């Protein structure tokens, strides 16, 4: 199959899903154009840990749907949920944890039921060469080892606390970051000896850091839900993007980045 015919097949599949969903909604949605494709800008609020994957997925979605522009707002899930609930214009919300998605759904700002599209686990990120000799969670509590964590309200922070509790490890981080990219940056800059970050983020930064797997991460696996938003400026585009994230091409991008299937 050629790249062009592959894109056409994906676009047709997404359009079919969009048209089916549109039949269940109100009459105010902008209709897809004459060839069955959506148009306009689709604004996606997505967890920071999705940066690399959603940048690629957005580009592929635009290629499959000429006339569409995807705008990404990438930050900590808790901050994004608060922005949505405060009225920030957005079409789609992709969270790194169900808890932050619940903040949006319970406020009545989701259109339909969120669906899980990926899962993620933590690793210990250390600078290349691992100068502190970190091998597992217990090493993070050694005297002199400086650790960065995400803040507790951020999904990577909540997962880190769950894993540390499961391991019986108590530590005081030198910094609490507002998203996983902030924690990872501390390692890349050599400001800390280690950080608990997602496997996908460590893989994306593999030129600068190494990711150390640890068994307790299995106790803190994060589900990633996605949903179209109730007051989406582009409802048809929102539904199309959500459908595309669940499609085989997008799932292949996520798997390549290290995400697990839901």
């Amino acid at each position: 199959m050629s790249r062009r015919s592959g894109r056409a097949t994906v676009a047709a599949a997404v359009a079919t899903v969009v048209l089916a969903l549109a039949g269940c909604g109100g009459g105010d949605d902008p209709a897809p154009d004459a060839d069955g494709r959506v148009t306009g800008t689709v604004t996606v609020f997505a967890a920071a840990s999705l940066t690399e994957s959603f940048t690629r997925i957005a580009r592929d979605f635009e290629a499959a749907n000429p006339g569409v522009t995807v705008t990404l707002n990438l930050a900590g899930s808790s901050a994004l949920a608060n922005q949505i609930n405060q009225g920030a214009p957005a079409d789609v919300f992709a969270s790194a944890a169900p808890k932050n998605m619940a903040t949006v759904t319970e406020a009545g700002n989701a259109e339909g039921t969120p669906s899980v599209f990926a899962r993620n686990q933590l690793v210990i990120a250390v600078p290349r060469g691992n100068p502190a000799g970190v091998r597992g969670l217990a090493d993070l509590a050694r005297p002199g080892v400086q650790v960065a964590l995400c803040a507790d309200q951020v999904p990577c922070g909540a997962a880190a606390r769950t894993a540390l509790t499961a391991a019986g490890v108590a530590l005081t981080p030198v910094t609490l970051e507002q998203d996983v990219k902030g924690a990872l940056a501390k390692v890349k800059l050599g400001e800390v000896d280690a950080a608990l970050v997602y496997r996908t983020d460590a893989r994306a930064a593999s030129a600068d850091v190494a990711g150390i797997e640890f068994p307790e991460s299995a106790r803190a696996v994060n589900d990633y839900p996605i949903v179209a938003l109730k007051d989406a400026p582009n409802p048809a585009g929102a539904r199309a993007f959500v459908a595309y994230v669940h499609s085989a091409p997008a799932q292949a991008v996520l798997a390549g980045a290290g995400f697990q299937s839901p």
Side-chain angles (χ1 to χ4, degrees):
M1 181 183 292
S2 69
R3 180 180 300 177
R4 179 176 297 175
S5 63
R7 287 201 299 263
T9 300
V10 169
V14 170
T16 299
V17 173
V18 172
L19 289 170
L21 290 172
C24 300
D28 297 332
D29 296 351
D33 61 19
D35 65 359
R37 294 181 179 182
V38 294
T39 58
T41 298
V42 180
T43 302
V44 179
F45 281 31
S49 53
L50 292 165
T51 297
E52 292 81 12
S53 297
F54 265 37
T55 298
R56 168 67 184 277
I57 287 170
R59 186 167 64 245
D60 292 347
F61 181 75
E62 290 172 342
N65 295 273
V68 169
T69 299
V70 178
T71 299
L72 296 174
N73 180 17
L74 299 153
S77 296
S78 57
L80 295 174
N82 288 335
Q83 290 173 27
I84 291 167
N85 287 344
Q86 291 169 5
D91 296 299
V92 175
F93 179 37
S95 173
K99 178 180 178 181
N100 303 98
M101 178 61 74
T103 301
V104 171
T105 58
E106 290 170 2
N109 290 323
E111 185 66 42
T113 302
S115 53
V116 175
F117 65 93
R119 308 180 83 198
N120 212 349
Q121 280 184 247
L122 296 176
V123 297
I124 303 169
V126 298
R128 278 290 173 187
N130 192 9
V134 173
R135 296 287 179 264
L137 289 185
D139 293 327
L140 302 183
R142 292 200 327 253
V145 175
Q146 296 188 312
V147 179
L149 298 179
C150 296
D152 288 350
Q153 70 269 23
V154 182
C156 63
R161 289 299 180 188
T162 298
L164 290 166
T165 299
V169 173
L171 62 86
T172 301
V174 296
T175 181
L176 291 171
E177 299 297 317
Q178 293 305 306
D179 62 51
V180 70
K181 296 299 186 185
L184 186 64
K186 295 295 183 180
V187 180
K188 293 169 68 175
L189 293 170
E191 296 180 6
V192 297
D193 299 302
L196 290 179
V197 304
Y198 293 120
R199 178 185 292 158
T200 53
D201 292 286
R203 181 178 294 190
S206 59
D208 301 303
V209 307
I212 300 171
E213 300 280 347
F214 58 95
E216 295 85 359
S217 67
R219 302 281 293 275
V221 178
N222 276 17
D223 287 340
Y224 281 56
I226 189 170
V227 75
L229 296 171
K230 183 177 181 180
D231 294 325
N234 187 350
R239 290 193 294 268
F241 188 84
V242 171
Y244 185 80
V245 168
H246 286 284
S247 73
Q251 288 293 306
V253 170
L254 291 162
F259 286 95
Q260 303 167 34
S261 298

